[in-house]
């Protein structure tokens, strides 16, 4: 491990773009598959490791769907959520806004109230036992269309959930126009939720404009194509609308042809508030520390520069001002005390 990698590993971090089911590591999947031995997911660690070796995007979808299929009870939801927080704690992630798709679980028969109670229970346990603060973004799986939007908005607005801060839109972008979801975002925003749709990952800058105008996005999930439109980049910079950049995910989905051609530098040079995230980390063979390492290489950053990236995530988060000040101070203390010689 290089000094910079050690610095990143110990750095207190916040993550804003990471999916609940997509964070299920081989360890967690082993636990879930042991509960449901009839599933097609292997149960022994070696077979699981093989199953999880990232091959291509189609393979990612296959893993993702088989993990979705392992989450059959509210207790499975609780286990997944708490164990995801444990994996975050190991990377010194202190705060995460986890994108959760309640529709996937309610349509498989988990009652909405039981689902929300399970994630809330795990959230409280993660905070007290692991020191990881979790907040939720409930997202519409775009491929499931307006019925999924209706169900997601209903759960977000009707089922009490203290940890819920945002309303999102995921799934494929091609053929799934952003503006059709405007009424659901309007309702969520009126109820006090923040608007955080995915946009401009696999489609052009117009999708980002749509997310801004129709869905009143406060942050953009990915926005990879934004640099194709200088006026859009200027708009994002001027209005301080952060981008949630996930480099390895962008490579896996072929949103970028190779990492060296990732437009991260153009985003930063245009003055956009950029945050670094891991999206579906174990399924893309990555984690947040590795994504910070990639960003440091692409941007030519040293320890102080990486600490700034971590602070960007705090700035772009929906933490309250006191929470932001506390986590920022923690990053500053860690950076000031950093010395490669003494790092463990
Ligand atoms: Zn995502």
């Amino acid at each position: 491990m290089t000094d910079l990698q050690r610095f990143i590993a110990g750095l207190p971090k916040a993550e804003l773009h990471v999916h609940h089911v997509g964070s299920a590591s081989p360890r967690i999947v082993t636990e879930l598959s042991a509960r449901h031995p009839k599933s097609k997911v292997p149960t022994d660690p070696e077979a699981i490791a093989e199953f999880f070796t990232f091959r291509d995007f189609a393979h990612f979808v296959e893993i993702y769907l088989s993990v979705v299929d392992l989450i059959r009870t509210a207790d499975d939801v609780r286990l997944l959520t708490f164990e995801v927080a444990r994996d975050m704690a190991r990377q010194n992630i202190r705060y995460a806004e986890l994108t959760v798709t309640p529709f996937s679980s309610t349509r498989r028969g988990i009652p909405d109230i039981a689902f929300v109670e399970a994630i809330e229970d795990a959230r409280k346990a993660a905070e007290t036992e692991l020191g990881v603060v979790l907040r939720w973004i409930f997202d519409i799986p775009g491929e499931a269309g307006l019925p999924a939007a209706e169900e997601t908005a209903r759960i977000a607005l009707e089922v009490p959930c203290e940890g819920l801060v945002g309303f999102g839109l995921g799934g494929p972008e091609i053929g799934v126009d952003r503006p059709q979801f405007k009424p659901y975002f309007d309702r969520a925003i009126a109820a006090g939720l923040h608007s955080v749709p995915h946009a401009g990952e696999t489609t052009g800058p117009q999708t980002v404009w749509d997310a801004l105008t129709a869905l009143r996005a406060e942050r953009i999930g990915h926005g990879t194509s934004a640099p194709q439109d200088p006026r859009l980049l200027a708009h994002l910079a001027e209005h301080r609308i952060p981008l949630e950049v996930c480099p390895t995910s962008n490579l896996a989905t072929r949103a970028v042809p190779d990492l060296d051609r990732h437009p991260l530098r153009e985003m930063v040079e245009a003055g956009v508030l950029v945050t670094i995230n891991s999206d579906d980390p174990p399924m893309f063979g990555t984690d947040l520390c590795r994504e910070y390492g990639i960003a440091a290489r692409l941007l030519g950053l040293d320890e102080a520069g990486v600490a700034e990236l971590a602070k960007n995530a705090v700035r772009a988060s929906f933490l309250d001002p006191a929470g932001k000040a506390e986590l920022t101070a923690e990053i500053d203390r860690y950076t000031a005390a950093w010395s490669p010689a003494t790092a463990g």
Side-chain angles (χ1 to χ4, degrees):
M1 219 191 243
T2 65
D3 287 343
L4 185 60
Q5 283 168 331
R6 273 197 293 275
F7 176 82
I8 290 169
L11 178 68
K13 291 176 284 293
E15 179 154 40
L16 308 180
H17 189 125
V18 59
H19 295 262
H20 186 217
V21 170
S23 296
S25 59
R27 177 182 68 81
I28 299 172
V29 171
T30 309
E31 286 195 42
L32 287 168
S33 61
R35 289 178 168 207
H36 305 293
K38 283 184 185 155
S39 81
K40 59 179 178 164
V41 178
T43 44
D44 78 283
E46 237 170 74
I48 279 275
E50 169 65 26
F51 181 67
F52 257 88
T53 304
F54 180 78
R55 294 200 297 267
D56 52 28
F57 189 63
H59 181 232
F60 156 72
V61 173
E62 189 192 323
I63 301 175
Y64 191 92
L65 293 177
S66 45
V67 177
V68 166
D69 203 42
L70 282 176
I71 300 158
R72 300 183 189 174
T73 68
D75 204 48
D76 295 337
V77 173
R78 189 195 180 285
L79 178 134
L80 168 68
T81 313
F82 184 78
E83 295 303 323
V84 164
R86 194 194 302 278
D87 287 345
M88 288 176 168
R90 287 189 183 132
Q91 296 181 72
N92 286 303
I93 296 174
R94 297 277 195 274
Y95 173 83
E97 291 170 9
L98 193 60
T99 294
V100 173
T101 314
F103 179 77
S104 304
S105 289
T106 58
R107 78 163 167 186
R108 282 177 173 76
I110 301 176
D112 52 12
I113 293 175
F115 178 86
V116 169
E117 278 175 3
I119 59 171
E120 281 288 280
D121 193 36
R123 177 178 71 78
K124 289 169 192 161
E127 194 164 333
T128 52
E129 294 171 35
L130 305 169
V132 176
V133 174
L134 292 177
R135 293 291 180 268
W136 317 119
I137 293 163
F138 284 0
D139 82 326
I140 302 168
E143 71 281 8
L146 299 184
E150 180 59 45
E151 172 77 346
T152 307
R154 188 191 62 73
I155 296 169
L157 271 57
E158 291 179 9
V159 181
C161 182
E162 227 177 273
L164 180 63
V165 295
F167 196 71
L169 170 59
E173 288 176 45
I174 295 165
V176 185
D177 282 353
R178 309 291 94 174
Q180 65 180 314
F181 299 104
K182 180 181 188 321
Y184 307 97
F185 275 80
D186 283 345
R187 279 160 59 194
I189 293 165
L193 296 177
H194 298 284
S195 168
V196 279
H198 287 54
E201 177 187 13
T202 52
T203 61
Q206 184 55 45
T207 312
V208 180
W209 283 117
D210 288 346
L212 293 169
T213 53
L215 309 182
R216 291 184 274 161
E218 291 168 65
R219 282 197 319 246
I220 299 289
H222 296 290
T224 318
S225 63
Q228 293 169 20
D229 180 351
R231 202 170 62 87
L232 174 58
L233 272 193
H235 180 92
L236 294 170
E238 186 192 340
H239 296 275
R240 301 294 282 168
I241 295 164
L243 294 180
E244 303 158 1
V245 176
C246 314
T248 296
S249 164
N250 292 158
L251 183 66
T253 60
R254 308 208 189 286
V256 297
D258 63 70
L259 281 176
D260 289 325
R261 281 197 274 171
H262 195 288
L264 181 61
R265 184 181 280 276
E266 288 163 81
M267 295 165 173
V268 171
E269 283 174 355
V272 177
L273 184 63
V274 165
T275 66
I276 299 301
N277 305 274
S278 65
D279 210 3
D280 301 288
M283 298 183 189
F284 290 141
T286 193
D287 61 25
L288 187 60
C289 291
R290 187 168 172 274
E291 297 305 291
Y292 268 76
I294 291 167
R297 183 173 65 77
L298 292 176
L299 298 171
L301 301 178
D302 60 5
E303 283 82 353
V306 168
E308 275 309 308
L309 277 184
K311 289 200 270 184
N312 277 358
V314 178
R315 285 182 195 109
S317 77
F318 301 128
L319 266 168
D320 60 23
K324 285 186 182 183
E326 196 181 315
L327 188 44
T328 303
E330 203 188 332
I331 294 168
D332 284 337
R333 276 197 306 274
Y334 172 83
T335 307
W338 165 256
S339 152
T342 56

